Amino acid sequence: MATTKGNKRVYLTWTDEMDAALLAVLVEHHNNGDHAQNGWKPHVYNAAIRNVREKCNVEITKDKIASRCKTFDKHYEVISKILSQSGFSWDWVNDKLLIDSDDVWNKYMEANKSAACYKNKVVKNWDAISTIYSKDHANGQGAQTGAESAQVLPEQVDDASPDLPQKKQRTGEAILSILEDLKTSFNDSLKSTEPLPMPSVTSPAEILVTLQMVLDLARSDMLKSYGKFILNERLFQALLELPMDMRKEWLLLLN
């Protein structure tokens, strides 16, 4: 990345430490819903500039942050598409794609030649990037902020306790609510000649990609969770509302 200073071009090389300092701020403010219509709110850029300066002793600008964010966005767009296909997973140790075989990769390349450089590309901080840039599959309009999420959640009882028994109770209530909705829909269909509409559900591939993003989740726990979410759309949506650092603990409690 180059900027002009007088008659000289000043180049900025982003290091792993600078990326980590920038993404730490973006994840925090993403979880707080600090998004503007066309990017981040001004105080987010100021916080990122300050954190990179304190942690790395490097001065950056809003424009340089925006440019770096475009790179992160491209990484997410390409890698998440690959991970949604069978035969691919994420290597959390080496920070790159884990491919079942050359045949799997070659088959994918037949229709996606532009992604060729990602076969062995190291992309660090994938957990943070996927948290910030994951798309809202329900409406296709980009990441849903925490504030937006709060507006669409059903009302909760004010005196609900946050301990484990209450969580299990709410899960049971959610299942009963789904069954009641299905029963009502079925009964209504009997009174009409209109066909029963199919409920909108997340694809198995999207569920698998989301679980693969959870750090250090054992294979057996991933499979248990996969089985639950295939059968229960509301449980999967509840997982998406949790910050990335809370998902593993919740999945283990759920299993």
Side-chain angles (χ1 to χ4, degrees), residues 98-229:
L98 198 58
I99 307 169
D100 285 357
S101 67
D102 287 338
D103 289 340
V104 170
W105 179 255
N106 293 335
K107 183 177 180 180
Y108 185 80
M109 282 295 97
E110 291 176 2
N112 301 275
K113 291 182 174 59
S114 61
C117 64
Y118 281 85
K119 181 178 182 181
N120 297 304
K121 188 178 186 66
V122 174
V123 177
K124 296 189 176 181
N125 306 297
W126 174 245
D127 53 342
I129 292 173
S130 59
T131 295
I132 298 169
Y133 294 96
S134 59
K135 306 301 180 183
D136 180 4
H137 298 290
N139 57 32
Q141 294 179 353
Q144 186 180 39
T145 66
E148 292 167 343
S149 300
Q151 294 175 0
V152 299
L153 284 175
E155 282 191 356
Q156 297 180 349
V157 180
D158 292 338
D159 59 353
S161 172
D163 56 10
L164 179 58
Q166 279 290 341
K167 288 184 179 179
K168 289 185 175 180
Q169 183 180 3
R170 289 181 183 175
T171 300
E173 291 173 353
I175 295 173
L176 289 175
S177 177
I178 293 174
L179 293 176
E180 189 64 29
D181 290 343
L182 291 174
K183 179 181 178 182
T184 301
S185 179
F186 179 76
N187 289 337
D188 289 343
S189 70
L190 295 179
K191 303 175 184 178
S192 171
T193 58
E194 294 293 331
L196 180 66
M198 294 296 293
S200 176
V201 296
T202 306
S203 70
E206 292 175 356
I207 293 174
L208 182 58
V209 169
T210 301
L211 290 173
Q212 288 174 337
M213 292 178 184
V214 179
L215 286 174
D216 301 324
L217 184 64
R219 183 185 182 91
S220 60
D221 291 324
M222 182 183 299
L223 292 174
K224 290 178 183 177
S225 300
Y226 179 80
K228 291 179 183 293
F229 295 144

Side-chain angles (χ1 to χ4, degrees), residues 75-91:
H75 288 337
Y76 176 81
E77 182 178 359
V78 176
I79 294 174
S80 62
K81 181 180 178 182
I82 295 174
L83 291 176
S84 69
Q85 307 299 311
S86 177
F88 297 96
S89 57
W90 188 252
D91 185 344

Side-chain angles (χ1 to χ4, degrees), residues 60-77:
I60 59 174
T61 64
K62 174 183 176 180
D63 289 340
K64 291 176 181 177
I65 293 174
S67 178
R68 192 58 177 167
C69 285
K70 290 181 180 179
T71 299
F72 294 146
D73 191 28
K74 178 184 178 182
H75 288 337
Y76 176 81
E77 182 178 359

